[in-house]
Amino acid sequence: MPTDTHPTAPTDLDSTLLTYVLRQGDRSLVLAQRLLENVAHSPELEEDMALANVALDLIGQSRLLYTYAGQVDAGPTGEVAADAPSSDRLDENHYAYWRPDTAFTSPLLVEQPNGDFAHLITRQFLHDAFAAPYWQAMTTSTDETLAAIAAKAVKETAYHLRHSRGWVVRLGDGTDESHRRMQVAIDALWRFTGELFERDDVEDGLAQRGVAADPTSLERVWQETVASTLAEATLDRPSDEHMRTGGRHGRHSEGFSYLIGEMQSVARAHPGASW
Amino acid sequence: MSSDWPAWEVFVRARRGVGHVHAGTVHAPDATLAIENARDLYTRRNEGVSLWVVRSSDVVTSDPDERHSMFDPAADKSFRQPTDFELPPDVAHM
C-alpha cells in the first residue's frame, strides 16, 4: 500500500549517504583531537604550529561533513523542531558532541595515541597517504556537496601529506635513533591500515552511483605512496598479517572513550552555550 | 633542542608584481622544512603567494660599528632627490 509510505521517510540512499558522510567526518575529527592533545608538546615550536594547522584543517573538514550529515539526516523537510534541545538539533555540534563514543565510525588508525613524535608523524603519514587521493577522487563525486567539500580538502590534504611524508623520510633516513623509532612506529601502526580500505554495501552502493570514491583504487595509490616513501626512508614495510578492524562499526580501543569524553566535556557541561 | 636547528630568514611576496619582503625568522633542520615552517608562521592569514628562505648564517650584514661612515654621508646629498631640482616652466607633464 504505497499510501502508507511516509513522504519524508529516509530512502536507502539517504541512510547510506548519512553513514558514509559521518565516517569521513569522524575520521577527520578524531585525528584532529589526537593532534590537538599534542599542542605545546612538539619537539619544536615551529612543528607545534604545523601540527595545529593540520588539526584545524581537519576540524574544518569535519564541520562541513557534519553539517551536510545533518541535512541528509533531517530529510527533505528538515523535520527537527527549531525549539528542540541543542542535543537534538542536527547541526555539526550534534555529531561532534552529542553522540556516544560507540557511535563514532572513525577507523582505528586515527585514534591511536600520540606516543613519541615518530608514532604521531607515522600515524599522520599513513592517514594522509589515504586522505590525499581520497579527496582527489571525491572532487568528481556526483554528489555536489561532497565534491565542493573535496575541492577545499584536496589542497589541504595534499599539503598534509607533503609535510608528514617529509618527516618520515627525514627521520627514517636520519640518525640510528630516529630510524629505530620510526621502524618501531611503522611496525606498531601497520596493523590499523587495512581498515582504511574496507568496503561494504554503503561504499559499494555509493561508489556505483559515483558518489563515493572506490576503495580499491584508493588502496592502489596508497600502497604506491607508502612503498616509495618507506624505501626513501630506508624503513622496512611490515607484513600484512593481523590487520585490526572495528572502528568503523563503533568498536574502538580502550583509550577512545577518554578521547571522546574530553572532547565532549565542555559542550555537555554547558549545553547550548556559544562562544 | 632549538639550538640544534639553524635559523632561517623568511621573505614573503604579498602578491604578483611586488618584491619579497623580510617577514621574520624560523628554525628548521633543512630548507624544505624551513619553507613549510615559514608557510605556517608567515602566510597563515593569506599574506603571501611566494616564499624565500635563506640560512641566517648566509646573510652578510653591514657592520653596525661602521654605520656612521656607511650611511651618514648620504644625509646631505639632497641633489640625489628628484625633488631637489626646479623644473623649467616649459616642461609639461611632470
Side-chain angles (χ1 to χ4, degrees):
Chain A
M1 297 204 354
T3 48
D4 282 351
T5 308
H6 193 282
T8 58
T11 63
D12 285 351
L13 176 59
D14 288 343
S15 74
T16 57
L17 183 60
L18 176 62
T19 302
Y20 183 76
V21 172
L22 287 176
R23 282 178 184 172
Q24 312 313 322
D26 292 349
R27 171 172 53 75
S28 298
L29 185 65
V30 170
L31 182 55
Q33 181 67 15
R34 276 289 186 236
L35 285 173
L36 291 174
E37 288 173 6
N38 192 65
V39 166
H41 295 280
S42 285
E44 294 287 340
L45 182 62
E46 281 86 349
E47 188 58 27
D48 225 38
M49 181 77 87
L51 294 175
N53 276 349
V54 171
L56 291 176
D57 285 346
L58 291 170
I59 287 175
Q61 293 169 14
S62 63
R63 290 184 63 179
L64 294 170
L65 289 159
Y66 285 158
T67 299
Y68 184 41
Q71 293 163 5
V72 176
D73 208 351
T77 56
E79 277 190 88
V80 179
D83 58 350
S86 60
S87 55
D88 289 345
R89 250 175 256 150
L90 295 176
D91 59 6
E92 52 184 310
N93 289 335
H94 168 78
Y95 301 102
Y97 297 134
W98 298 99
R99 287 183 300 157
D101 54 348
T102 50
F104 280 79
T105 55
S106 46
L108 294 173
L109 174 69
V110 296
E111 73 196 54
Q112 295 309 307
N114 288 328
D116 63 7
F117 186 72
H119 274 79
L120 183 151
I121 209 69
T122 300
R123 180 188 65 202
Q124 192 65 36
F125 167 68
L126 294 171
H127 168 270
D128 296 343
F130 165 82
Y134 171 75
W135 286 118
Q136 182 64 52
M138 291 300 288
T139 57
T140 57
S141 170
T142 54
D143 183 300
E144 284 178 13
T145 306
L146 289 177
I149 294 171
K152 174 176 182 289
V154 69
K155 295 178 192 171
E156 295 167 343
T157 45
Y159 184 81
H160 300 169
L161 175 59
R162 176 178 153 178
H163 185 76
S164 59
R165 184 189 189 283
W167 268 119
V168 169
V169 172
R170 197 175 280 115
L171 294 176
D173 189 22
T175 65
D176 288 347
E177 175 69 1
S178 73
H179 177 88
R180 184 188 66 75
R181 284 174 181 256
M182 287 301 288
Q183 190 65 58
V184 168
I186 192 91
D187 289 347
L189 292 168
W190 191 259
R191 71 197 66 173
F192 302 110
T193 57
E195 191 183 16
L196 294 172
F197 308 102
E198 272 182 8
R199 56 194 313 157
D200 57 14
D201 290 347
V202 171
E203 242 103 18
D204 288 342
L206 292 173
Q208 270 175 12
R209 295 164 189 260
V211 172
D214 175 46
T216 307
S217 15
L218 290 178
E219 182 169 16
R220 204 176 310 126
V221 179
W222 184 88
Q223 292 285 1
E224 287 168 11
T225 306
V226 170
S228 69
T229 305
L230 293 185
E232 199 179 332
T234 70
L235 293 166
D236 295 327
R237 182 189 184 283
S239 79
D240 289 337
E241 291 169 67
H242 310 305
M243 284 293 179
R244 303 288 179 84
T245 181
R248 288 186 4 139
H249 302 284
R251 297 193 303 276
H252 295 280
S253 35
E254 190 187 350
F256 189 70
S257 61
Y258 294 95
L259 178 151
I260 295 297
E262 183 174 24
M263 184 178 78
Q264 296 181 336
S265 59
V266 174
R268 291 186 178 222
H270 306 280
S274 60
W275 54 83
Chain B
M1 214 177 117
S2 275
S3 57
D4 297 345
W5 283 12
W8 302 72
E9 301 303 318
V10 178
F11 300 83
V12 179
R13 187 215 291 273
R15 61 182 188 279
R16 286 192 61 172
V18 302
H20 288 71
V21 174
H22 186 241
T25 311
V26 292
H27 291 96
D30 53 44
T32 303
L33 205 56
I35 286 282
E36 293 179 14
N37 291 345
R39 178 251 196 195
D40 285 336
L41 280 164
Y42 295 111
T43 66
R44 60 193 279 108
R45 296 182 186 88
N46 229 9
E47 294 96 331
V49 296
S50 171
L51 280 170
W52 288 347
V53 293
V54 61
R55 283 278 288 260
S56 303
S57 58
D58 288 341
V59 174
V60 181
T61 66
S62 59
D63 184 347
D65 291 340
E66 292 176 5
R67 66 186 184 281
H68 298 298
S69 60
M70 285 283 280
F71 305 115
D72 288 357
D76 61 352
K77 309 288 194 299
S78 63
F79 51 82
R80 290 174 183 165
Q81 309 284 349
T83 51
D84 195 59
F85 299 93
E86 268 185 44
L87 285 179
D90 293 346
V91 177
H93 310 301
M94 286 291 285

